[in-house]
Amino acid sequence: MNNILIDWIKDSNSWKNAKSLNVLDRQEKEYPFLLRSDDYYISLFNNMFKALTSGSYQSRDEHEELLLIAKGIEMYSIDETRGNFYGVNYAENILYTASIYYLTDYYTTSALLAKLFHTEDYETDIDKFIHGFLTVNRYIKNRYMKLLNSFLETGKQSYLEDLIRILELELKNADPYSYAPLLLAKCLLEKFMENNLWSSLTRANPQIDWQDYIMHKLNSNWVLFPSQSTALKKGILIRDDTFSLQMPTSSGKTSLCEIIVYNEIVYNRRKVLLLAPYRALASELNYSFRKSFNTLGVTVKTLYGGHTPTREEKAEIDNVDLLICTPEKFMAIENHIPNLHELFSTVICDEGHLLDDEQRGLNYELLLAKLKKNKNGSLPKKYIYISAIIPNLESINQWLGGDEDTIIKSNYRPTQLTYSFLVEKGTDKNKTFALETHSKKNNLLNFTIEGVLSVNQDYKYRNPITKRINTYGFKTYKAKAASIALRSLNNGSVAIYTPQKGDDGVKGLAEEIINQINLLHFPNTETLSHQDELNLLIYFEEIFGQDYILTKSINYGFAIHHGDLPQFVREIIEMCIRDKVIPLVICTNTLAEGVNLPIKTIVLHTIKRFDYKLERKVTIRKRDIKNIIGRAGRAGKETEGIVISVNPSEYQYIKEVIDEEQIEPVNGYLFKIINEITQTLKKERLLLSNELIEAQDEEFKRLIDSIDKSIIDSLYEEVTDENLGEILKDIISRTFSYYQSDNQDKETLERIYALRANVITPYLNKSQIKSLKESGTSIRIFEDIIEAINIQDEIWKEATFPFSEDILDYLLDIVFRLQHIQFDLEQFQVKTKIILTKEVIKNIIVNWINGKWYFEISNLVNIRLDDVLKIMLFIDSIIYPALSKIITVAKNKLVEEGVLISKDLEDLDKIIQYGVNSRIHCNLIDLGFTDRMSLLNVSSWLISNFKSLNLADRNIIEMILKSNKIEIGEYLSRTIPKISSSKFKANLENL
């Protein structure tokens, strides 16, 4: 490719981006290719034709140049730019563009571009065939597609060979007009011969009949990504070894897991456990796998949230093929179902880098260590360990039982990703900001867009009161992030990332967006959103009131997303982004926790967050930034991803992230603890003892609690004093911490476990291991609860719905007597500056379970709504688990006396989680109706219309719902917003 053409391609790419951002008139440079657009097109087409005829497109070394050609050709067909060019058949041209992307492994980009036109837009059979092939549409009626369909349905290679022979014959006699598409079709099919589901899966495991699996995929996918093919070629299906995968976000991880799961269940006859550390990720995987396996006879169960498994959950687990679970939930279930882990022979560990996480890492590692134990004579478990980026993946892989041949690393992304930096130019009134854009994969795509923001053109507004022209305050990074995000809406959906929630983070950015929409002339989120179709504003007004920042944001057509928002609200926002109801979201890292959403552009407001312990802002880990920016440009939804940074002081750090320089290794949180203890003992010349442990602060004791709990979780009633030592040595040896420790750290770990064994031994003698396990507590907290409760009180047997303030007051009294809760309260108050008392918590819970929404509760207890949400999160994560443990301990104590605890009291988890207070509500929840707004309304409808029936009986409620689906649907449509009613009606149809 000659230099002039390369320059034209670079210029045309810069021109297209400037045009899409609506700043083309601000570019100082000329674009020569526009004056010679015919010559430009002919040159692009000639280069593409040479690559096809010579076969050079098959060489990966040529792919970057081919992608440049595709970038040039696509501008002659896409909506944003084709109006500038004449004499090109847009529909046919897009086939050439999409085909190049296909031939260079960008399959989803190829399909998205091809779908810009319809089969009806093509006249010839060969064009229709190519379009159907690229868009995975096998329902086109012509002789080419008939042969392709015969292959797709049978896997017989001879059908493809016959089709290619037909094309070769037709090429010999083709006229100039038909020659190019025939050649294109031949090249596509030759590539397809090597990479299609039949050939790829049959090569990967020839012992399995893939017919059923492939048939259910034919309407969505016919090929594998290179990252997926690499894993299959390594033998991940036929080898029983542990494999560790490093795959960028959106590179086909879920689809690969689907293949692995199907293979393990159908071929190896194994149950599969998929560990998903985030609830949002578990929920997304549940949707994906249920949709995939619904017709294949593979049963899927997902468990997350809550702390005590229900009877229904226990019963279903025995029969499930795939269990998707958070580590914490699995540990809680196994305390009630001993040896549960032995049911699962294959364990998939998603988001593996979370071994380092301060909140989740310890449980994740200790669970994996526990799962590594096998029955005598049984094969080791097969682990599939997955993460987007871990520099020391080899070490983790070896710990789990893999070797150097079972490491799979791929840098493949199905969408191209570019990185842009906002650069200030000029002075004073003439100040502008340019975007310097870089592509890591192809330096020829680097370019600068001038004047994306301009003081004179963007930040001047007329003061509504004085009528004077003023200059908007544009100098803060908050203002720049908001402006460039609004500017980028022309390109597609946008997320602004910020690590903070308050005025210097999500809230401040939301207010900034609203101000700029009101005063300035950037693209408007209101005109781009479809929130009215779901009554989102009405919904959020009812929940949060009119003045809350999320409600205000929704009114302006965008959303916010952070950890203080209730889980169901976050899921609604995620759904709105997924369905492109909302074009812009301002978020913390909660939106990057494993969930893939169709976001085109991510704007980085800052990469520094406040550390309340250090009392200053610190830069977040490179590994976490890598995970965040990887969310831009989801495969199948976007053709490219864009990351924009606005703070020059952070540019170098971000460039190091892009180049993957000095990415932090994953050592595990347990290793960090043990290493710190070792260094402290060494420095202070101390001997570790239980007395020394008891003298430490609460934070240290919690780490010991986790170790105690890991020991308890690994023990069963048959354990004795004599074999306890050996059991503990076995537990220790299976941890990642022990695997990577030096002798001193190993001694510390062994010493801690030996000391804790002395504490646990008395419970073996009293046969209390089962009670300890089911309570989900450490010994310290278990003893604290035992001391705090009076099992003789009648409340344990007689508490019934609806729960009164007195009952809650009684239970909260017990909670507040627990030492670790006092520490949690102190930490909460340090972090939030909110004074929290038992009375405040009780009042909030009482109003919540009595059907009040957040803004009503805020008014009733006279606490700011933001603070109410923080308190409710504290209740959900601290108070409710403590109550659950207290009730479990009381239940087991009553059983020892031959007495049953109140059934209603056992359902306290549903009461607090969903904010309800009756058996009718709990029955609806048990039947799968978990949307609070709709279940409260349906409950009222049931009481109004069926007073004479026993609505405490779940079977009766189920019968009423099945018999009155239409009437209930109409009632909900009249009474609540569509976003809520549609969920209930969808569940009703499946009842």
Side-chain angles (χ1 to χ4, degrees):
M1 192 185 301
N2 66 49
N3 291 334
I4 293 176
L5 182 57
I6 289 173
D7 287 342
W8 282 5
I9 291 172
K10 289 171 66 175
D11 283 348
S12 66
N13 198 42
S14 173
W15 171 82
K16 183 193 83 170
N17 281 274
K19 185 175 177 63
S20 66
L21 292 173
N22 199 26
V23 292
L24 192 58
D25 59 329
R26 304 180 188 183
Q27 306 312 296
E28 299 170 358
K29 62 184 296 181
E30 298 291 328
Y31 294 100
F33 80 93
L34 288 174
L35 301 174
R36 300 179 60 184
S37 60
D38 291 348
D39 293 338
Y40 180 41
Y41 184 79
I42 292 168
S43 297
L44 290 168
F45 195 90
N46 282 342
N47 275 271
M48 178 197 72
F49 196 75
K50 285 178 186 176
L52 296 178
T53 53
S54 68
S56 65
Y57 69 89
Q58 297 174 15
S59 168
R60 292 194 176 277
D61 295 338
E62 301 291 326
H63 282 188
E64 296 310 320
E65 283 197 1
L66 272 171
L67 286 171
L68 287 177
I69 292 170
K71 284 280 185 187
I73 295 178
E74 74 179 50
M75 280 184 284
Y76 288 80
S77 288
I78 59 177
D79 291 339
E80 304 95 292
T81 52
R82 69 188 187 195
N84 292 78
F85 308 107
Y86 304 96
V88 173
N89 184 315
Y90 303 139
E92 285 193 3
N93 183 68
I94 207 69
L95 292 185
Y96 302 132
T97 304
S99 295
I100 297 174
Y101 279 111
Y102 186 98
L103 294 171
T104 52
D105 299 328
Y106 286 90
Y107 302 111
T108 56
T109 299
S110 168
L112 280 175
L113 288 170
K115 286 176 182 176
L116 294 176
F117 295 87
H118 304 286
T119 305
E120 296 75 27
D121 294 321
Y122 300 96
E123 296 180 4
T124 67
D125 280 352
I126 193 63
D127 281 352
K128 290 179 180 180
F129 169 74
I130 294 172
H131 185 264
F133 179 84
L134 295 174
T135 57
V136 196
N137 175 13
R138 64 194 190 96
Y139 298 105
I140 294 166
K141 303 292 184 183
N142 67 41
R143 57 200 176 102
Y144 305 114
M145 188 57 74
K146 184 177 180 181
L147 277 171
L148 180 62
N149 263 321
S150 296
F151 167 74
L152 291 173
E153 292 169 4
T154 65
K156 291 182 180 178
Q157 197 89 339
S158 57
Y159 288 114
L160 282 183
E161 292 168 353
D162 289 346
L163 182 50
I164 290 173
R165 273 196 295 270
I166 289 171
L167 292 172
E168 288 173 339
L169 285 172
E170 292 183 357
L171 273 167
K172 290 179 181 178
N173 302 308
D175 57 49
Y177 181 77
S178 61
Y179 189 88
L182 286 167
L183 177 63
L184 201 58
K186 175 176 173 287
C187 293
L188 290 170
L189 286 169
E190 286 173 343
K191 184 174 181 67
F192 185 66
M193 285 268 286
E194 291 303 312
N195 180 18
N196 62 73
L197 287 179
W198 279 107
S199 63
S200 298
L201 294 178
T202 304
R203 280 196 301 262
N205 187 356
Q207 302 301 316
I208 188 172
D209 182 358
W210 290 100
Q211 177 85 29
D212 290 343
Y213 180 80
I214 291 173
M215 288 305 295
H216 108 277
K217 298 292 288 184
L218 288 186
N219 290 329
S220 58
N221 181 37
W222 298 344
V223 298
L224 296 180
F225 291 162
S227 49
Q228 298 165 332
S229 296
T230 300
L232 296 190
K233 289 173 183 175
K234 281 270 192 174
I236 200 167
L237 298 188
I238 57 174
R239 293 177 61 175
D240 285 331
D241 304 280
T242 283
F243 281 81
S244 292
L245 287 71
Q246 182 175 297
M247 299 171 67
T249 301
S250 200
S251 61
K253 173 196 68 177
T254 303
S255 296
L256 176 60
C257 285
E258 180 187 304
I259 293 169
I260 294 168
V261 168
Y262 185 80
N263 181 82
E264 293 299 301
I265 292 168
V266 174
Y267 172 64
N268 288 323
R269 304 296 177 187
R270 295 170 174 169
K271 286 179 178 287
V272 179
L273 171 63
L274 197 164
L275 295 172
Y278 299 116
R279 288 175 57 167
L281 176 59
S283 176
E284 183 182 43
L285 290 172
N286 174 57
Y287 173 79
S288 176
F289 282 108
R290 280 183 181 275
K291 184 178 178 183
S292 295
F293 290 143
N294 189 41
T295 60
L296 292 173
V298 175
T299 56
V300 181
K301 178 70 179 173
T302 302
L303 299 174
Y304 57 87
H307 299 268
T308 304
T310 64
R311 284 184 290 273
E312 291 82 1
E313 287 172 347
K314 291 179 190 176
E316 290 175 351
I317 290 169
D318 273 342
N319 301 315
V320 77
D321 295 313
L322 169 64
L323 177 63
I324 302 170
C325 205
T326 58
E328 293 79 9
K329 185 67 173 181
F330 187 86
M331 293 168 80
I333 296 168
E334 191 162 46
N335 285 332
H336 294 261
I337 309 175
N339 298 312
L340 173 65
H341 68 279
E342 293 176 359
L343 292 177
F344 301 95
S345 304
T346 301
V347 181
I348 299 175
C349 315
D350 205 355
E351 300 291 314
H353 54 273
L354 289 174
L355 287 177
D356 258 6
D357 187 76
E358 188 172 339
Q359 304 298 323
R360 300 173 177 87
L362 195 55
N363 283 335
Y364 206 170
E365 178 177 345
L366 293 174
L367 176 57
L368 291 182
K370 179 179 181 177
L371 291 170
K372 285 181 70 182
K373 184 176 177 61
N374 300 287
K375 282 184 176 178
N376 292 334
S378 65
L379 289 171
K381 284 184 172 58
K382 177 176 181 177
Y383 288 90
I384 309 295
Y385 182 88
I386 306 169
S387 180
I389 178 164
I390 295 181
N392 58 323
L393 189 65
E394 290 80 1
S395 180
I396 295 173
N397 188 60
Q398 287 178 354
W399 165 57
L400 291 173
D403 57 40
E404 59 184 17
D405 292 329
T406 62
I407 293 283
I408 300 167
K409 291 187 178 182
S410 174
N411 292 320
Y412 171 79
R413 275 186 57 94
T415 54
Q416 293 179 310
L417 191 61
T418 58
Y419 304 90
S420 299
F421 302 94
L422 198 64
V423 178
E424 189 174 312
K425 295 191 173 184
T427 57
D428 301 328
K429 295 179 181 179
N430 296 319
K431 185 169 291 184
T432 64
F433 296 89
L435 269 188
E436 290 186 355
T437 300
H438 306 266
S439 169
K440 183 184 174 185
K441 286 200 70 175
N442 193 337
N443 289 332
L444 295 176
L445 291 176
N446 296 352
F447 56 89
T448 299
I449 303 175
E450 302 290 346
V452 290
L453 300 176
S454 163
V455 173
N456 278 327
Q457 292 168 282
D458 294 318
Y459 291 118
K460 298 294 184 181
Y461 71 98
R462 187 176 297 278
N463 187 300
I465 298 173
T466 66
K467 307 302 180 185
R468 293 179 179 176
I469 300 297
N470 290 355
T471 301
Y472 190 87
F474 63 88
K475 294 182 179 179
T476 65
Y477 298 126
K478 180 167 63 177
K480 294 170 190 173
S483 296
I484 199 63
L486 290 171
R487 172 73 72 208
S488 298
L489 285 171
N490 287 321
N491 254 339
S493 54
V494 180
I496 306 178
Y497 168 77
T498 181
Q500 308 286 117
K501 301 167 192 168
D503 293 335
D504 58 345
V506 172
K507 184 182 178 185
L509 282 162
E511 290 169 344
E512 181 67 30
I513 290 281
I514 291 169
N515 286 338
Q516 292 195 21
I517 289 173
N518 285 334
L519 294 174
L520 306 177
H521 298 288
F522 291 113
N524 192 331
T525 48
E526 286 181 81
T527 60
L528 296 170
S529 81
H530 305 284
Q531 59 97 353
D532 287 344
E533 296 172 13
L534 296 176
N535 313 128
L536 279 183
L537 182 59
I538 299 169
Y539 180 78
F540 286 125
E541 279 182 349
E542 185 166 344
I543 292 175
F544 297 110
Q546 294 182 348
D547 297 328
Y548 184 56
I549 190 63
L550 173 58
T551 311
K552 290 180 179 178
S553 301
I554 292 295
N555 191 32
Y556 278 84
F558 68 98
I560 64 171
H561 190 288
H562 58 68
D564 284 352
L565 292 174
Q567 179 70 27
F568 76 92
V569 171
R570 281 183 268 161
E571 288 175 2
I572 286 171
I573 293 166
E574 288 160 16
M575 181 272 290
C576 289
I577 299 166
R578 190 178 294 114
D579 295 344
K580 299 200 172 182
V581 173
I582 295 292
L584 183 148
V585 62
I586 306 166
C587 61
T588 60
N589 62 309
T590 53
L591 206 61
E593 292 178 346
V595 181
N596 283 321
L597 296 170
I599 294 169
K600 176 95 173 250
T601 303
I602 290 180
V603 176
L604 301 176
H605 165 235
T606 179
I607 53 172
K608 292 181 178 178
R609 67 158 54 98
F610 186 78
D611 186 315
Y612 80 96
K613 291 181 182 177
L614 298 176
E615 295 186 343
R616 61 180 174 83
K617 285 191 175 182
V618 297
T619 305
I620 62 178
R621 288 183 303 198
K622 291 179 179 177
R623 201 170 64 224
D624 296 331
I625 299 170
K626 187 75 176 175
N627 197 28
I628 291 159
I629 63 181
R631 304 286 159 184
R634 184 183 179 184
K637 300 294 183 182
E638 304 289 350
T639 59
E640 64 178 347
I642 303 164
V643 178
I644 301 175
S645 182
V646 302
N647 187 338
S649 67
E650 299 173 349
Y651 290 174
Q652 182 56 40
Y653 193 82
I654 292 170
K655 286 176 182 176
E656 290 172 10
V657 173
I658 295 166
D659 294 331
E660 297 182 7
E661 295 178 9
Q662 298 177 322
I663 302 294
E664 304 87 354
V666 172
N667 295 315
Y669 193 61
L670 179 59
F671 177 78
K672 178 187 174 189
I673 296 165
I674 297 301
N675 186 255
E676 287 178 1
I677 293 172
T678 300
Q679 297 307 315
T680 301
L681 293 172
K682 192 175 177 182
K683 182 180 178 182
E684 304 293 333
R685 297 185 178 182
L686 297 170
L687 177 65
L688 192 60
S689 66
N690 280 325
E691 291 73 24
L692 182 63
I693 289 171
E694 292 301 320
Q696 301 307 306
D697 60 18
E698 175 67 20
E699 201 163 348
F700 183 83
K701 287 179 183 176
R702 292 198 168 198
L703 302 176
I704 300 300
D705 281 345
S706 297
I707 291 171
D708 282 357
K709 193 169 179 307
S710 74
I711 297 171
I712 294 165
D713 288 344
S714 301
L715 302 180
Y716 299 101
E717 293 179 65
E718 64 269 18
V719 177
T720 64
D721 294 358
E722 289 75 23
N723 62 12
L724 180 58
E726 290 302 314
I727 289 171
L728 295 187
K729 283 182 182 178
D730 184 45
I731 295 171
I732 296 164
S733 67
R734 287 187 268 114
T735 63
F736 184 46
S737 176
Y738 191 84
Y739 174 82
Q740 61 186 315
S741 291
D742 60 20
N743 289 335
Q744 285 186 321
D745 285 335
K746 284 179 180 177
E747 286 176 13
T748 301
L749 190 54
E750 289 169 348
R751 176 69 175 161
I752 287 175
Y753 270 76
L755 289 169
R756 303 319 295 169
N758 294 333
V759 176
I760 290 169
T761 298
Y763 293 85
L764 297 177
N765 298 331
K766 291 188 286 186
S767 300
Q768 286 188 319
I769 289 298
K770 183 175 183 293
S771 295
L772 269 169
K773 287 168 72 69
E774 290 188 356
S775 70
T777 66
S778 66
I779 289 170
R780 182 173 72 105
I781 295 173
F782 182 78
E783 288 294 345
D784 214 4
I785 292 173
I786 292 290
E787 189 176 328
I789 64 175
N790 180 359
I791 207 64
Q792 303 306 320
D793 288 343
E794 292 301 310
I795 188 174
W796 305 111
K797 295 170 283 185
E798 297 181 358
T800 56
F801 290 134
F803 289 151
S804 65
E805 287 191 36
D806 289 342
I807 291 173
L808 291 170
D809 198 59
Y810 176 89
L811 293 171
L812 287 172
D813 267 341
I814 299 172
V815 171
F816 271 69
R817 288 203 290 271
L818 303 179
Q819 293 177 17
H820 73 287
I821 296 297
Q822 293 300 323
F823 176 78
D824 285 322
L825 282 166
E826 290 169 8
Q827 293 297 296
F828 176 81
Q829 287 167 182
V830 168
K831 287 182 183 179
T832 65
K833 312 302 181 190
I834 301 169
I835 304 300
L836 200 52
T837 64
K838 187 196 82 172
E839 198 63 26
V840 167
I841 290 175
K842 184 190 75 174
N843 288 340
I844 288 176
I845 292 176
V846 167
N847 282 294
W848 173 242
I849 68 175
N850 286 333
K852 303 299 184 190
W853 283 109
Y854 306 109
F855 87 98
E856 295 174 288
I857 295 172
S858 172
N859 291 333
L860 289 166
V861 300
N862 196 27
I863 296 175
R864 290 173 59 247
L865 180 51
D866 278 326
D867 292 345
V868 165
L869 292 177
K870 288 183 172 69
I871 295 169
M872 293 199 70
L873 182 64
F874 181 82
I875 290 169
D876 184 59
S877 59
I878 304 297
I879 302 299
Y880 155 59
L883 284 168
S884 179
K885 290 176 173 65
I886 288 166
I887 290 168
T888 303
V889 171
K891 176 184 174 182
N892 286 332
K893 282 293 179 185
L894 286 169
V895 167
E896 290 173 11
E897 298 182 6
V899 179
L900 294 178
I901 198 168
S902 157
K903 169 68 175 73
D904 288 353
L905 203 54
E906 281 193 87
D907 278 336
L908 188 68
D909 59 339
K910 297 187 188 78
I911 298 302
I912 295 180
Q913 183 179 353
Y914 295 103
V916 294
N917 197 8
S918 79
R919 175 55 53 197
I920 300 172
H921 295 141
C922 289
N923 285 335
L924 286 168
I925 292 166
D926 288 340
L927 288 168
F929 300 99
T930 56
D931 177 78
R932 184 175 188 251
M933 188 177 288
S934 56
L935 78 84
L936 288 174
N937 276 265
V938 169
S939 174
S940 299
W941 180 85
L942 287 167
I943 293 167
S944 298
N945 292 280
F946 299 93
K947 291 177 182 177
S948 60
L949 297 180
N950 179 16
L951 297 177
D953 187 325
R954 192 174 81 175
N955 293 327
I956 289 176
I957 287 183
E958 185 174 4
M959 178 195 69
I960 294 171
L961 295 179
K962 285 180 177 179
S963 304
N964 296 273
K965 290 182 179 181
I966 295 174
E967 188 176 348
I968 293 170
E970 291 174 350
Y971 168 75
L972 289 175
S973 296
R974 294 193 306 271
T975 56
I976 60 175
K978 186 177 179 181
I979 186 67
S980 185
S981 65
S982 59
K983 287 185 177 182
F984 196 96
K985 287 188 275 189
N987 287 346
L988 198 58
E989 287 304 311
N990 296 325
L991 192 63

